[in-house]
Structure formats: structure tokens, C-alpha cells
Amino acid sequence: MTTEKQLNMQDSQVKPIDETRPTAPVIHVSPSPHLAQSTTSTRRMMVDVLVALVPVVAMSLFVFRGYALFQLAVCLGGSLAAELLFVKMRGRPSTLKDFSAIVTGIILAMSLPGTAPWYVGLIAAFVAVGIGKIIFGGLGMNLFNPAMVGRAFVMISFAGALAASGFEDVRSAVDAVSQATPMNAYKMNGVVAPLAHLFWGTTNGSLGETSALACLLGGLYLIVRRTVSWEIPAGLLLAVLVIGGVADLAGPADGWTVLHHILGGSLLFGAFFIATDPVTSPLTPRGKFIFGLGVGMLIMLLRLFSGYPEGVMFAVLLMNAVTPLINRWAIPVPFGEQ
Amino acid sequence: MGLKLEGYAGSGTFAHGIHPSDHKALSKDAAIRVMPTPDTVVLSLHQNIGGPCEPLVKSRQAVVWGELIGKGSSFVSSTLHASVPGIVQRPMRVTLANGRHMDTLPIKTQGEVPSDRELWDEIFGGDWPTTGLEAYEPALISRDINDGGLVGLGGAAFPTHVKITPSDKKPIHTLIVNGCECEPYLTSDYRLMLEAPAPIITGALLAGRSVGAKRIVIGVEDNKMPAIEVLRKATDGTGIRIAVVKTKYPQGSEKHLIQAVIKRQVPLGGLPSDVGVAMSNVGTMAAVARAVIHKKPLTHRIISVTGGGIAEPSNVLAPIGVSFGELVDFCGGLRPDAARMVAGGPMMGFAFANPNTPVTKGTSGLTVMTRDEVKAGEETACVRCGKCVDVCPMKLVPTKIAMASRHRDISLSRRYNIMACFECGSCAYTCPARIPLVQLIRAGKALVAAAGRS
């Protein structure tokens, strides 16, 4: 009987499983489960983020033209080079194919002003990927959002380039860049930008943050694809709504409303693309919601009471630091103990 | 959707879980075929959860079909019967599909065994009464079940008489008969419900009577509508209800079917009886009917032999102790691209390589996967996406438990309730980083158990 022969062949003829055209069964064993969902992979998640970034990048190219292209090139190149270099220094196999360096590079570029000099973007990219991620042990091991680590570093080291004035270039032919950022115009001079400008994104600011619409589109895609969990943006927006609403009622009626808080600055970009980084946010739905609330509260605290016009970056970094604690608090109650 | 079953509070489903493609089309329309009696069977002395049984026969002794050859060593144990007539051979140690090395009694077939239709009629045929069952004493029903060597035929193989027995301590109000068969590929319960609903119903009535259940309900997933129709007709006038539950893995898990039907959660470490429920599989119920009415033991069972690596996917009525290799032969042999043989379904089944491995009472199927299906993905780092958390039906945090296990951190894995995991595989199925979560958790559970003993 052929089958019996085939069955007996397995002992003597074990060959690698990836033979192109099998002629006889080769039986391998492995622990259960023996099925895996073929549609999910870490790389697929990264590709989802890249797809979601398309409207944001497109809008930044439309508004900031050459500035955006330049900053993207610098940050992407820097991220990829840093990934290669640092992974090599750790003596590990290349991790470029997980696409996470590309995601970090683009998010970093989108969080910088287009006017920042080349060395600022490059150093930010090296710090983001090298110090922010690889040194911690690579993808999945870092405590802090890599892009934000890089941005925070250059914000402090090159204060001028990332201060309010760093965003402006009055001689520029690109409209947006010749104005002050709406956040700063308000903080310094009480000038309130029209909501429509904030919504469409025709204002000055970091490259990816200006268009609320683009951030919403990308964010919704990520949520629908379940690449990010809705709990983080929901908690974040809820906190901003509540605190901004209270500030509206309690503060001076100067025209800057909770809606300006939501549509202005990097709030939506942060809510959908930065705070949602799975590696540096909690694991459970409840933990994610708490994390979102915390980020939203810190953003409002910084915006309302600190000297900075914006607070997304520091808020995310601070909440990243307490993520292990939140994970500890938010251990779900198992089925059977509810 | 709701359960829409009056008197039952469940919503027909449970939180979390996964929706793998079921692959049941391979064998769901294949009517059960009766396998010719093999030349030998190899009967493990340990067929069930709990203690093994002690042999009552010596080698070279002649036995008849259905003769008692092993007796349970403890209460949570079961009896063993000759599944063919013949001569007992020298006991030997065999590795079962689940990897445990067990003493076995081989029997060389000798003598007449009914074949084909005759065997089917002998096991499932005839009249199955739905009235007049008052004549059977609850305690005697349980005794007959024990005498028949019945264990849960859904896969776990828990001795049935332990569950189906009158108890004053934990009164049972509902008997749930499990016809979910949520494992992908498997169709043995489905075919049984279609082809032999009568013994299932008689068995359910008897089991319900034994435990003192006021209500009996058969839970079936809504991807088995033909079986549901057959059961509805067959239960007409018996008081047994059919609960149509959502098709979702692991709906057939005892705790989750209880949640779906009566909306009660079995406490961690507890049993269905803690919430007043007894649960047993449809195949077990048919065996109960035979054991109680005809006083015949469990010697045969229905096995799905399926998967892309099998030439003719089938549902087979085969004697306990037949080798998987013979089942494969009976179903046309392996296809050239067969790459993994799994005892049971692909989610919780055990992969094995030796075709001489014998079938046990808990073997619900043989799933042969192809090399494309089992291509191992490359493990990458956990990015803490939380997808495992989103699917875990026990509401655990699989990645945390797995990483704690990997680092042998017993206290951390305990804090995350490692022992609540029943290894359904939903997390590993979903994990985008292809981390062997179940394997790690299983190792971690062994560490915790070892730490608990010392």
C-alpha cells in the first residue's frame, strides 16, 4: 500500500518543509494551535500606519511644499541609517524589514517644523531610533515613543530651531511658513485662528499636525483596521473636551475654545499617531483608556498653565513612563471572577 | 443576535474569541462510514482525565467484544472494554498522541464482529425510547455509565459518571448537551446529530434524570442548521430545547457555552456544577443511551478524518484503539503535501508523527494539515498590540503570561492568573508577531504547578 510506504518514509527522509514540489508527505510535529491567522503580522501593522499617514503626508506636502519634502528625506534617511548602524553595533540581524524605522522616520518628520535645519532632523532621527529604540533592545522593548524621544532631544538641544520663531521664515514663498503658528499666535498675542483653517490645515506648525482633517482620516483608518485601539484617542479626546470645556466656562471669553484646542496644534496627530504607539502604551482596553485620559489631561495642563504653547510631546512621554504602572493596575478580572 | 430561548438568560455568545475559517466543508457532507474491523487494536490503560485503569486480563487470554478488561483505579477514572473480540497480547508502552507514554493492552482480533450496516445498527440503530424512562433509577444510570466506560467524547475525556450522577451537595438545574463542535475541520458531532439524533436524545433524557435537571438544552452553533432542524424534530414533545448559539471559537468550551446559554460564569477553578449545570457532549449522550438501555459499553466512536492532507475526508465509525495510520488508509491515504497529523482539531489538537499511535476514547478527529497551512511564521518581538488580550475568552493578558513564563517569573505569571488559561489557542492564532504564546504558557503552568508542589 502506497500510503503505508509513505507513512514509513518519514523517519528516514525528513527534509526541510519548504521544498518546492512535495512528492511524499513529510510529517512534522509542533505544539497547538496549528492554525494561524495569515492576515496579521507586525509588518502589516506598520504598513497600516504608513497607509494612514498618507493623507497627513500629502497635506504636509501640499501646505509646506519643499520644506516637507526636505524634512521627510532627512528624517527617513536618518532613521534608516540609525537602524542599520545601531542594530549592527548590537550585533543583531537587520530589522529594516519590519518597517518600524520608516514609521518612526515619517512620524518624526511630521512632528518637526519644515524650517528646522538638516542637522536637527538628522540628530533627532538618530536619537529617536538609536537611543529611543535600539538601545533599549529594539522594537517592542522601548519604554518611550522613539519619535518623541528624538523630538524632545532636539527641542532641548536646539531650542531656537523648535521654538516658536523656528517655525517661521518670513521671506518664504510658502504662505504657511511666513506666519506664526496658531498655537503661538494665541499664547503670545491672543490671536485666535479661524477654526476652518485649523480643520483644513492651512496654518503654520509642525508638518503633520496642521490639518485636523488629514489626522482624522488617517486615525479613523487605523481604528477601523483595528491597528490601533480606539480607547486611547477616546480617552485623550474626552479629557481634552472636559478640561477644555471647563476652561471655556471658567476662563476669559477670548475666542479660543475647546474646539480650537482639539483642532489646533498636534492634538489630533498625537491622539491618533503618537499616543497610540502600542509598544509604549498599556496592553488592556481599560489601561489604554486610562492612558488616553492621562495624556489628554497632561496636554491641557501644559497648554493652559505652562510656558509652552503645546504639550502633546511631553504629555505622551510622561504617560509612557507610567505605562508599566498602568499595566499593573489594569490587570483584567478573568472570566469566572466577574 | 440573541439566544431567543424562553427561560434561558444567555445571549447566545460570550465575550472575545476568534472566527477562524472552519474548513468543515471538507467532511460535513460525508456520511459516517463504518470502518472494517482492524487486525489489532491497542487500548491505552489511560483513556481519560484522572486515574488510569488496572488491567483485568492476562496476555493470551481470549476476550469477547465489549468484555471488561480494565477497572478504574479511583473515582475519577473509568473502565475499559475490549473494542474487538480476540486474544490479548503482551502489554506494551506506547506514546499517545498527547505525548504521554502509557501502558496499553493490544488485542489481536479473532472472531466474528458485525460489519458495516450491522455494526451501525448495533450501536445506533433500533428504537430509542423517550418515554417510560422513570424505570431507570438516577443512581443506577450513573452506575451503568461507569460500567460502560464512558468518558467525555468531545475531546477532554473526563469520566462521565463523575458528572452524571445524583448529588445533594451541588443540585443541578440544567443539563446542557454540547453540540457546538467549535474546532475548525471537525464534523463528527455534526454527522452524529444528523444521522443518529434519537440516541442523543434518549441519552440526554437519561442523563438529565440522573442529575435531577429540570431543564435540558442542546447547544449547537448556528453554522449547523441542518443538524438543528433534525434535532428540533427529534426533540419534539420531549421537553428538550435547542439553543442555537453563535459560531465562534471556543464556543464549545464548557464555561463559554454555559455563559452563552444561561449567562452564568463558572468560578475560576470551579466546575459547571458550581452554577447548577451538568454538561456533556452529544456523542457522550448517545453512548449513555446505549450503556443504560442496552447495557453496552463504549467500544467505538465517530472520528472525523479530515484536512487538506487527506485524500478522502470522511467521518468514520471506528473501534477505540485502532491506529491513526489505518484510519488514514481507510480514507484514501495522505496527499503528497501532508505535513502535520493532528489528533483532534487544529486549535487544541495534538500533533504526532507515528502512524501506529492508537485512537483513544477522546479522539474526536484526525486533522491532516498541508505544508502551506502549517508554514511556520518567523517570530518577531511583541509590540504589545494587545490583540491577544482582545481575543482571550478567559479575559487574560496572554503576552504578559507568556513573557513571564519565558523568564520563569512564577509570581508574575500567577498575578496574571496563568492557571485560568485553558490553552484554547485564540491568542497564538491571532498574534501578529507569531509568538508561541500557548507553548510558553503551557511551560509556565508546569512551572507554577511544580512550585506549588514543593
Side-chain angles (χ1 to χ4, degrees), chain A:
Chain A
M1 277 195 300
T2 52
T3 317
E4 213 168 274
K5 232 180 264 163
Q6 285 167 355
L7 281 171
N8 291 335
M9 278 165 91
Q10 62 184 33
D11 290 324
S12 52
Q13 300 199 345
V14 177
K15 284 183 190 153
I17 201 155
D18 55 3
E19 267 181 286
T20 42
R21 221 38 256 165
T23 51
V26 179
I27 304 296
H28 292 245
V29 294
S30 159
S32 67
H34 308 284
L35 279 183
Q37 195 168 15
S38 51
T39 52
T40 62
S41 72
T42 309
R43 177 151 69 171
R44 175 68 231 191
M45 291 174 68
M46 297 296 170
V47 170
D48 269 345
V49 177
L50 293 177
V51 171
L53 280 165
V54 165
V56 175
V57 170
M59 203 60 200
S60 77
L61 288 170
F62 175 72
V63 174
F64 296 98
R65 316 272 160 167
Y67 289 101
L69 198 61
F70 163 76
Q71 203 59 266
L72 272 170
V74 168
C75 290
L76 260 178
S79 292
L80 292 173
E83 177 97 7
L84 267 176
L85 182 71
F86 280 80
V87 168
K88 202 166 178 65
M89 286 199 294
R90 284 187 75 227
R92 297 295 168 92
S94 166
T95 47
L96 281 181
K97 63 175 191 287
D98 67 21
F99 289 7
S100 75
I102 300 178
V103 169
T104 302
I106 294 180
I107 288 184
L108 177 65
M110 291 294 108
S111 75
L112 292 176
T115 45
W118 63 270
Y119 51 86
V120 169
L122 194 67
I123 291 173
F126 264 76
V127 173
V129 172
I131 315 275
K133 188 178 78 178
I134 308 287
I135 293 246
F136 279 93
L139 180 64
M141 302 300 170
N142 48 301
L143 291 179
F144 297 98
N145 184 307
M148 290 303 101
V149 170
R151 190 181 193 275
F153 184 84
V154 293
M155 179 152 178
I156 292 158
S157 313
F158 304 95
L162 273 91
S165 59
F167 284 80
E168 296 165 39
D169 181 355
V170 283
R171 292 158 304 165
S172 174
V174 175
D175 273 356
V177 180
S178 60
Q179 321 150 10
T181 69
M183 300 303 284
N184 200 50
Y186 169 69
K187 192 94 186 175
M188 295 301 149
N189 307 318
V191 179
V192 175
L195 281 175
H197 292 191
L198 298 177
F199 181 74
W200 293 107
T202 53
T203 60
N204 197 359
S206 296
L207 293 172
E209 73 179 27
T210 61
S211 173
L213 174 67
C215 295
L216 279 171
L217 281 177
L220 286 178
Y221 172 79
L222 287 176
I223 288 173
V224 168
R225 288 277 309 163
R226 290 178 182 262
T227 297
V228 308
S229 1
W230 60 270
E231 288 91 347
I232 293 175
L236 194 158
L237 290 172
L238 181 70
V240 171
L241 264 176
V242 170
I243 298 174
V246 170
D248 275 359
L249 296 175
D254 58 2
W256 191 270
T257 65
V258 62
L259 275 177
H260 291 82
H261 272 301
I262 290 178
L263 299 181
S266 53
L267 194 118
L268 289 175
F269 185 66
F272 291 113
F273 290 97
I274 298 174
T276 50
D277 170 26
V279 174
T280 55
S281 59
L283 266 168
T284 63
R286 199 159 63 98
K288 285 171 177 165
F289 191 73
I290 296 171
F291 177 88
L293 281 178
V295 174
M297 280 159 60
L298 287 170
I299 291 174
M300 292 310 283
L301 195 74
L302 291 167
R303 280 186 176 182
L304 294 174
F305 301 109
S306 83
Y308 287 112
E310 179 56 286
V312 172
M313 176 184 76
F314 286 123
V316 169
L317 287 172
L318 279 167
M319 288 310 290
N320 286 165
V322 294
T323 290
L325 268 181
I326 299 178
N327 273 335
R328 220 186 151 104
W329 297 330
I331 296 179
V333 182
F335 182 87
E337 288 203 337
Q338 283 158 337

Side-chain angles (χ1 to χ4, degrees), chain B residues 38-299:
Chain B
D39 293 339
T40 34
V41 292
V42 177
L43 294 160
S44 165
L45 287 170
H46 202 179
Q47 299 268 349
N48 51 274
I49 289 184
C53 61
E54 283 149 14
L56 299 175
V57 288
K58 298 210 165 56
S59 46
R60 303 199 167 279
Q61 186 174 329
V63 290
V64 298
W65 179 34
E67 185 172 334
L68 183 70
I69 58 170
K71 201 161 175 49
S73 54
S74 59
F75 179 60
V76 185
S77 177
S78 77
T79 54
L80 185 63
H81 304 79
S83 57
V84 295
I87 309 293
V88 177
Q89 307 293 298
R90 273 166 52 114
M92 59 175 183
R93 187 155 272 221
V94 160
T95 305
L96 299 181
N98 63 16
R100 299 180 72 170
H101 308 292
M102 287 298 160
D103 287 325
T104 62
L105 289 177
I107 298 176
K108 201 174 173 81
T109 308
Q110 210 170 74
E112 281 296 296
V113 193
S115 59
D116 217 22
R117 196 70 222 171
E118 241 178 289
L119 184 68
W120 172 270
D121 287 340
E122 163 68 30
I123 294 177
F124 296 116
D127 281 339
W128 296 100
T130 55
T131 53
L133 300 176
E134 298 77 22
Y136 297 92
E137 283 294 315
L140 296 185
I141 293 173
S142 185
R143 192 205 60 194
D144 284 346
I145 289 171
N146 188 19
D147 289 348
L150 267 61
V151 303
L153 299 184
F158 188 80
T160 307
H161 68 274
V162 181
K163 295 201 251 186
I164 307 298
T165 188
S167 166
D168 298 330
K169 273 187 238 140
K170 288 180 181 172
I172 301 294
H173 52 73
T174 307
L175 169 73
I176 302 181
V177 179
N178 193 341
C180 287
E181 199 163 51
C182 62
E183 271 274 3
Y185 290 92
L186 302 188
T187 54
S188 52
D189 286 348
Y190 172 70
R191 289 309 309 182
L192 182 71
M193 291 188 278
L194 271 186
E195 297 183 44
I200 297 174
I201 286 155
T202 301
L205 290 169
L206 288 165
R209 181 169 162 70
S210 179
V211 296
K214 289 190 261 319
R215 313 184 295 181
I216 302 174
V217 59
I218 306 179
V220 190
E221 281 187 343
D222 60 8
N223 62 350
K224 303 180 184 65
M225 288 322 281
I228 289 164
E229 290 311 312
V230 167
L231 286 175
R232 277 200 176 126
K233 261 185 219 131
T235 51
D236 196 33
T238 60
I240 298 179
R241 308 287 299 273
I242 312 298
V244 182
V245 294
K246 189 173 173 185
T247 301
K248 174 157 84 167
Y249 182 85
Q251 181 66 77
S253 142
E254 205 165 60
K255 292 178 172 189
H256 296 89
L257 184 56
I258 291 174
Q259 166 76 10
V261 174
I262 66 164
K263 210 177 181 176
R264 290 286 303 275
Q265 291 195 6
V266 178
L268 274 192
L271 293 169
S273 54
D274 294 328
V275 293
V277 173
M279 185 175 297
S280 202
N281 162 272
V282 284
T284 317
M285 288 297 104
V288 165
R290 185 159 183 260
V292 175
I293 307 245
H294 298 319
K295 314 291 180 215
K296 289 287 172 60
L298 178 69
T299 57

